[in-house]
Amino acid sequence: MNILYDRNMVLGEALFSRLGKAKAIDGRKLTKRDLKGCDLLFVRSTCRLNRELLEGTNVRFVGSGVAGTDHIDFEALRALGIPVETAPGCNAESVADFVMAALLMIGERQGRSWEGATLGIVGVGHVGSIVKRFAEQALGMRVLCCDPPRKDNGDWQARDFLSLEELLPQADVITFHTPLIEEGPYRTRGLFSGPLVRKTKPGAVLLNFARGPICDDALVATMLGAGLLSDAAIDCWEGEPDYPAELAALAALATPHIAGHAFEGRANGTVAVYRAACAFLGVEPGELPDFPAAPVPELTVDCADKTDEQVLRLAVRAACDIEGDTARFRAAYASDEATRRANFDALRKTYPLRRLFPATRVLLAHPSPTITDKLTALGFAVGKAKPARKAAAPKATATKKGTRKAPAKRTPSRRPKGKTQE
């Protein structure tokens, strides 16, 4: 059995090679010719799954190891009789970790605490629900939610959700976590664009870790330049893998669509479609390989003279270095579009290992009454730091006549070195 899988799929070789002859490919550049003789195809969001690509091929099953589905023409695949499986929610916690990292770093940049500030979440699904819990329990934020499909479908948990028009004037931070929907009553393309953005609270912070076309990048850059937005963190761009230099420079944090790229986020997607393929083929899935240790598996923090947010910032920075991600992204900028696009994909391919917060253990000295609960709410394993060792007392010396005290420590002579004067 011949299998093609996107080279950026973590654990791809280890899992897919169990099912047949597996070959890694560049999903963005995949063509119909590449699919000659292919039985199983596994991709990520950079590959457009449509009739043009798959019609006339031998592909029997497709797995897309990401949560988003805007790259899939489901109607065409159904017409072709090709089953397709996705991985909803696979990277939700990874994105939520990234949101917390962005908020804490922007808070430090602005010299402010988020305690009591208002967070507006647009799209309260897998990711948005975790972001809500993190923001309320760890940062003490007031959270407003906007999710028209959930509210219109009678979800009782969404009965108090607001429209975007109602949310924008109240939110100190706006974060988007919707899928990209091109048409219809719940269209999200251009959701943050046009006259509606005038309702945005002056000085608000904007985060887009969902899909690039949800926000008008040029408009966001204009608002930042005019001070209408105080800061922004952008991980998704309208023209990926290309992106506008102005917004990348103005945003406090700018990254190449890697919010969901924690090891677990990518591994979960691969595992989900591997297991779906096993079910399709009627074979039993094997044991999963061990995950690598976190870059910082353990961190000791002395909480004395630190606020809870300062402690959170230290822990989150150790686990999710969003500032380092931004520095690498900016360093890879090229004026030539082809090079810029290639560098964008290269950064995604070579993204440094990041694990979710639970993979890092935080040992606390002198903790406040609330910091343990806040770190635990984010998923960190928390323990007590060992007390510093005291200097050993001088030992007594045993003699034939008994025990005498240890001699006092001699103070070095202040006499200058050299010949002694008589």
Side-chain angles (χ1 to χ4, degrees):
M1 183 173 296
N2 294 316
I3 300 166
L4 296 180
Y5 68 93
D6 191 290
R7 64 188 183 188
N8 289 336
M9 297 186 79
V10 168
L11 303 182
E13 173 64 24
L15 296 181
F16 300 139
S17 61
R18 298 174 180 177
L19 304 177
K21 184 179 178 181
K23 179 183 176 182
I25 48 92
D26 183 342
R28 197 183 294 280
K29 298 178 180 178
L30 187 68
T31 66
K32 186 187 293 286
R33 181 178 297 178
D34 298 321
L35 295 177
K36 183 178 181 181
C38 174
D39 299 298
L40 307 181
L41 175 63
F42 299 96
V43 300
R44 290 179 60 82
S45 60
T46 54
C47 179
R48 307 298 301 180
L49 295 170
N50 51 30
R51 181 180 294 274
E52 181 182 357
L53 177 67
L54 293 164
E55 189 171 30
T57 70
N58 294 325
V59 174
R60 300 162 49 198
F61 175 92
V62 174
S64 177
V66 295
T69 60
D70 50 279
H71 60 296
I72 305 173
D73 185 338
F74 287 100
E75 185 176 345
L77 268 65
R78 279 194 295 269
L80 293 172
I82 301 175
V84 56
E85 293 289 342
T86 61
C90 65
N91 63 358
E93 195 168 344
S94 176
V95 177
D97 285 3
F98 219 64
V99 171
M100 291 300 106
L103 283 174
L104 287 165
M105 297 315 121
I106 289 175
E108 181 180 44
R109 169 185 166 107
Q110 295 188 353
R112 66 170 297 171
S113 167
W114 293 116
E115 182 81 31
T118 300
L119 174 67
I121 302 176
V122 184
V124 196
H126 291 290
V127 179
S129 296
I130 300 175
V131 170
K132 181 178 185 293
R133 172 165 52 87
F134 281 1
E136 289 176 336
Q137 297 181 12
L139 299 184
M141 300 185 78
R142 169 183 177 240
V143 176
L144 301 177
C145 297
C146 170
D147 195 316
R150 283 188 60 183
K151 187 167 186 176
D152 291 352
N153 287 336
D155 184 341
W156 68 269
Q157 293 180 314
R159 63 188 182 279
D160 296 325
F161 284 9
L162 306 178
S163 67
L164 184 58
E165 188 175 17
E166 294 170 321
L167 180 146
L168 288 177
Q170 301 183 58
D172 298 298
V173 181
I174 308 146
T175 184
F176 291 93
H177 301 292
T178 71
L180 178 61
I181 301 173
E182 297 286 353
E183 301 293 343
Y186 303 123
R187 170 188 165 110
T188 60
R189 176 177 283 276
L191 192 60
F192 190 79
S193 65
L196 180 66
V197 303
R198 296 173 186 167
K199 294 186 177 293
T200 303
K201 185 175 182 177
V205 173
L206 182 141
L207 312 180
N208 184 6
F209 296 164
R211 285 290 185 266
I214 289 171
C215 296
D216 182 331
D217 283 355
L219 179 57
V220 173
T222 298
M223 294 177 74
L224 284 169
L228 300 175
L229 292 171
S230 63
D231 265 320
I234 308 295
D235 183 58
C236 304
W237 310 82
E238 280 189 274
E240 288 180 21
D242 197 12
Y243 56 93
E246 184 181 12
L247 181 55
L250 287 171
L253 299 164
T255 49
H257 204 153
I258 42 82
H261 273 40
F263 186 88
E264 293 90 334
R266 292 188 289 170
N268 290 343
T270 305
V271 170
V273 294
Y274 160 70
R275 287 176 171 164
C278 288
F280 173 76
L281 297 171
V283 300
E284 193 69 23
E287 293 293 323
L288 299 182
D290 292 335
F291 286 10
V296 182
E298 188 169 274
L299 177 72
T300 299
V301 180
D302 188 345
C303 305
D305 301 321
K306 292 183 179 68
T307 67
D308 283 0
E309 280 196 24
Q310 288 173 328
V311 176
L312 289 173
R313 192 174 296 120
L314 290 171
V316 167
R317 182 179 277 127
C320 181
D321 185 14
I322 193 171
E323 294 160 302
D325 295 336
T326 295
R328 283 186 291 273
F329 183 56
R330 287 183 172 143
Y333 178 78
S335 56
D336 174 68
E337 181 181 336
T339 303
R340 192 163 61 243
R341 294 167 70 92
N343 288 351
F344 188 97
D345 282 341
L347 287 169
R348 287 165 57 83
K349 179 183 177 183
T350 60
Y351 185 58
L353 174 66
R354 169 164 65 95
R355 293 288 308 277
L356 296 180
F357 293 160
T360 295
R361 180 174 174 80
V362 183
L363 304 180
L364 302 175
H366 310 107
S368 73
T370 53
I371 187 59
T372 296
D373 288 343
K374 291 178 179 181
L375 285 165
T376 302
L378 291 181
F380 286 101
V382 183
K384 291 183 179 180
K386 294 180 180 179
R389 291 183 178 180
K390 295 182 180 179
K395 293 182 178 179
T397 303
T399 67
K400 290 183 179 179
K401 294 183 178 180
T403 303
R404 72 183 183 200
K405 293 182 179 180
K409 188 175 180 181
R410 297 179 63 183
T411 303
S413 172
R414 295 180 181 275
R415 180 181 295 169
K417 295 181 179 179
K419 186 177 179 180
T420 303
Q421 293 183 350
E422 297 294 330

